Amino acid sequence: MSQSKPITSFIEKHFLHFNAAALVDAAKGYKKHIESGKKMMVTLAGAMSTGELGISFAEMIRQDKVQIISCTGANLEEDIMNLVAHSHYKRIPNYRDLTPAQEWDLLQNHLNRVTDTCIPEEEAFRKLQKHLFAVWKDAEDKGERLFPHEFMFRMLNSGDLKQYYEIDPKNSWMIAAAEKNMPMVVPGWEDSTMGNIFASYVYTGELKASTMKSGIEYMTWLADWYIKNSGKDGIGFFQIGGGIAGDFPICVVPMLHQDLEMDNVPYWSFFCQISDSTTSYGSYSGAVPNEKITWGKLSIETPKYIIESDATIVAPLLFAYVLEW
C-alpha cells in the first residue's frame, strides 16, 4: 500500500466488484472529466452537512475539483451550524429504539434529531438567526436583493462568526465555498430552518419577501451560467442522494433545448449518482440514469454511473480517491 496515498491504494486493492467497483469506476470517471478541463457540479441532498461531509468536500472545493454546487437549504445552513455549535451536538447511537416519549423529550430539550445526531436549537439556530437577520435587514435597507447562499457568504466573509468557531474552519465546506464565491443554486430554500425564520419576519412585516431572490431566479441564473461555462463538451453532474438538489439543476439542459429552443447547448457530459433508493416506479431518486436520456438531460454518450450505497460512506471515499489521498 502506498504510504503517500493510503486511501486510494486501499480502494484500488480491495474495491474490485459490485458497488465497490462502481465507486472506483465513478471516481476514475470524475478524475478524467476534471483533468480534461471540464467543469463539475456537485449536488448535496439529505443532511450531508450534519454528516460532516465538509471534512472531505471542503478540500474538493479548495483544489478546484468542483466548480458549482446545488444543495438543499438544510445543507446550506447545517454546515455553518456545525461550525458554530459542534460541542453542543448530541449523538444518539440507539436512535432506532427511541419511543415517541423519548423523541418528545428531545424536543423539550431543544434538540432536533437528524438520524443519530441532534442539532441544538439555541446554540445553532438562534445563534445564527441574529446575525442573518442583520445581514438580511442591512441588504433590504440598501435596496439589495440576494440569493440565499449569497447572504450566507456575506455573513461568513464578514468574520462575525469567528468568535463562535468550534471546529477547524478548514473542515467547513461553506467557508471554502464563501472564500471562492462559489457559484451555487439552493432550490426549495424556503423549507429550511432559516427559510422558515425568514418567512416569520416577512409574516410580521419586519422583512419583505422580495429581499430574497426566488427559485425561478435561481433557474434563470443557472441557465445563463450553463450557457457561458459548458463550452462544446458540457458540465459534469455528480449527485449525492436525490430530491430537489439534483432534480432542479439537471432540468436546466432540457429547458435550454426544449423551452428556449437552443440547439448548440451540450448535454450534461458526466453523470454519477450515489443513492440508496431502490429502482422504483415514478421515483426520481430511484430512476436509472438511462431514463434521463428520454428527458433530454443526458446524451447516449454521457458516461453514467450509479453507486447504490450510503452516501455518508461512499462520498468521502470517492472524494479521497479524486484528491489522491
Side-chain angles (χ1 to χ4, degrees), residues 73-74 77 132 136 148 152 188-202 212:
E77 65 194 16
L132 261 180
W136 291 334
M152 295 291 197
W189 174 78
E190 296 82 359
D191 82 347
S192 66
T193 298
M194 293 304 155
N196 292 170
I197 289 171
F198 181 83
S200 74
Y201 288 123
V202 174
M212 192 68 62

Side-chain angles (χ1 to χ4, degrees), residues 169-183:
K170 74 179 178 61
N171 291 331
S172 164
W173 72 263
M174 275 293 289
I175 286 181
E179 289 174 346
K180 281 183 173 286
N181 194 27
M182 174 71 70

Side-chain angles (χ1 to χ4, degrees), residues 64-84:
D64 297 317
K65 306 297 186 184
V66 52
Q67 284 71 43
I68 182 170
I69 296 167
S70 172
C71 74
T72 57
N75 276 305
L76 184 76
E77 65 194 16
E78 287 178 16
D79 179 83
I80 305 175
M81 292 176 185
N82 180 62
L83 175 69
V84 303

Side-chain angles (χ1 to χ4, degrees), residues 44-53 72 74-75 78 114-115 119 240 312:
L44 304 177
M48 296 305 298
S49 290
T50 292
E52 298 191 70
L53 186 67
T72 57
N75 276 305
E78 287 178 16
V114 180
T115 312
I119 302 175
I240 300 176
T312 62

Side-chain angles (χ1 to χ4, degrees), residues 211-274:
T211 298
M212 192 68 62
K213 288 188 175 181
S214 70
I216 296 298
E217 289 170 285
Y218 260 134
M219 182 59 83
T220 56
W221 176 89
L222 179 59
D224 188 57
W225 185 91
Y226 193 94
I227 292 167
K228 291 176 179 176
N229 289 273
S230 58
K232 295 181 179 180
D233 298 319
I235 307 294
F237 198 93
F238 185 80
Q239 180 176 336
I240 300 176
I244 195 171
D247 199 19
F248 179 93
I250 205 170
C251 289
V252 74
V253 168
M255 185 191 82
L256 292 170
H257 288 160
Q258 299 167 19
D259 304 318
L260 290 168
E261 300 181 352
M262 296 182 179
D263 297 327
N264 59 342
V265 177
Y267 292 97
W268 294 99
S269 55
F270 167 97
F271 178 81
C272 176
Q273 180 181 9
I274 304 171

Side-chain angles (χ1 to χ4, degrees), residues 31-241:
K31 288 184 68 175
K32 181 179 179 181
H33 181 89
I34 292 294
E35 288 167 359
S36 68
K38 289 177 279 191
K39 296 182 178 181
M40 185 70 78
M41 169 182 274
V42 171
T43 77
L44 304 177
M48 296 305 298
S49 290
T50 292
E52 298 191 70
L53 186 67
I55 295 170
S56 57
F57 189 46
E59 191 62 21
M60 290 284 287
I61 295 170
R62 283 191 290 269
Q63 293 196 24
D64 297 317
K65 306 297 186 184
V66 52
Q67 284 71 43
I68 182 170
I69 296 167
S70 172
C71 74
T72 57
N75 276 305
L76 184 76
E77 65 194 16
E78 287 178 16
D79 179 83
I80 305 175
M81 292 176 185
N82 180 62
L83 175 69
V84 303
H86 183 79
S87 68
H88 299 278
Y89 277 58
K90 180 178 177 61
R91 186 162 179 266
I92 312 287
N94 63 325
Y95 66 93
R96 290 180 178 87
D97 303 324
L98 295 179
T99 65
Q102 289 172 317
E103 300 277 22
W104 182 258
D105 286 342
L106 290 175
L107 172 65
Q108 298 307 301
N109 285 286
H110 306 286
L111 292 167
N112 300 121
R113 185 171 67 81
V114 180
T115 312
D116 70 346
T117 303
C118 292
I119 302 175
E121 179 183 334
E122 291 301 320
E123 291 81 7
F125 305 159
R126 304 309 168 196
K127 187 180 288 183
L128 293 182
Q129 179 176 352
K130 60 184 179 182
H131 291 282
L132 261 180
F133 176 78
V135 173
W136 291 334
K137 189 72 170 73
D138 179 67
E140 184 170 299
D141 290 345
K142 293 176 180 176
E144 295 179 297
R145 300 183 64 246
L146 299 175
F147 285 119
H149 75 276
E150 292 177 316
F151 282 114
M152 295 291 197
F153 284 0
R154 184 170 288 187
M155 178 178 64
L156 285 170
N157 288 331
S158 73
D160 289 348
L161 298 185
K162 288 184 177 180
Q163 59 184 309
Y164 306 126
Y165 287 3
E166 293 193 355
I167 64 168
D168 190 330
K170 74 179 178 61
N171 291 331
S172 164
W173 72 263
M174 275 293 289
I175 286 181
E179 289 174 346
K180 281 183 173 286
N181 194 27
M182 174 71 70
M184 288 186 68
V185 294
V186 189
W189 174 78
E190 296 82 359
D191 82 347
S192 66
T193 298
M194 293 304 155
N196 292 170
I197 289 171
F198 181 83
S200 74
Y201 288 123
V202 174
Y203 186 86
T204 60
E206 295 172 81
L207 291 173
K208 298 175 183 175
S210 58
T211 298
M212 192 68 62
K213 288 188 175 181
S214 70
I216 296 298
E217 289 170 285
Y218 260 134
M219 182 59 83
T220 56
W221 176 89
L222 179 59
D224 188 57
W225 185 91
Y226 193 94
I227 292 167
K228 291 176 179 176
N229 289 273
S230 58
K232 295 181 179 180
D233 298 319
I235 307 294
F237 198 93
F238 185 80
Q239 180 176 336
I240 300 176

